[in-house]
Amino acid sequence: MKYPARFKPDPEAGGYVVTFRDIPAAITQGDDDAEAMEMAKDDRIVSMLEMQKHEDLMASVEPTWRPSQIDEISISRKPQKPSSNGDAP
């Protein structure tokens, strides 16, 4: 199963904050994109294991936690600025 993650730049602390729409308890961060990706992988697994341990409690919060369907996922990207040498990105 795939669980989409959101990598949001953290302008104050630097790096990225990572959240999962389908796993509300999974929130982590990394100093760069590579570290954020590794932290996200670990946190996703730990959070899902914790959710399974406490499934009775989670039922009251999210009765049917499951991965998003592909048609439920949207991608948004900020427009890239042209490079300083005038080439298109």
Side-chain angles (χ1 to χ4, degrees), residues 1-80:
M1 288 187 195
K2 295 185 179 188
Y3 291 87
R6 179 177 185 222
F7 290 71
K8 183 177 178 184
D10 186 343
E12 291 180 23
Y16 296 89
V17 174
V18 186
T19 57
F20 293 85
R21 178 179 106 171
D22 302 310
I23 311 170
I27 302 170
T28 190
Q29 66 87 35
D31 292 334
D32 56 36
D33 57 346
E35 183 182 43
M37 179 66 79
E38 287 303 312
M39 297 297 288
K41 289 176 186 177
D42 289 344
D43 195 48
R44 179 194 66 201
I45 292 168
V46 170
S47 294
M48 290 180 75
L49 290 172
E50 285 299 313
M51 289 172 70
Q52 286 178 337
K53 282 187 204 175
H54 305 288
E55 195 168 350
D56 57 326
L57 297 174
M58 293 306 298
S60 65
V61 176
E62 183 63 38
T64 57
W65 66 277
R66 61 167 178 71
S68 296
Q69 300 300 309
I70 193 70
D71 59 346
E72 296 174 331
I73 300 169
S74 64
I75 299 173
S76 61
R77 294 189 176 123
K78 292 183 180 181
Q80 294 183 348

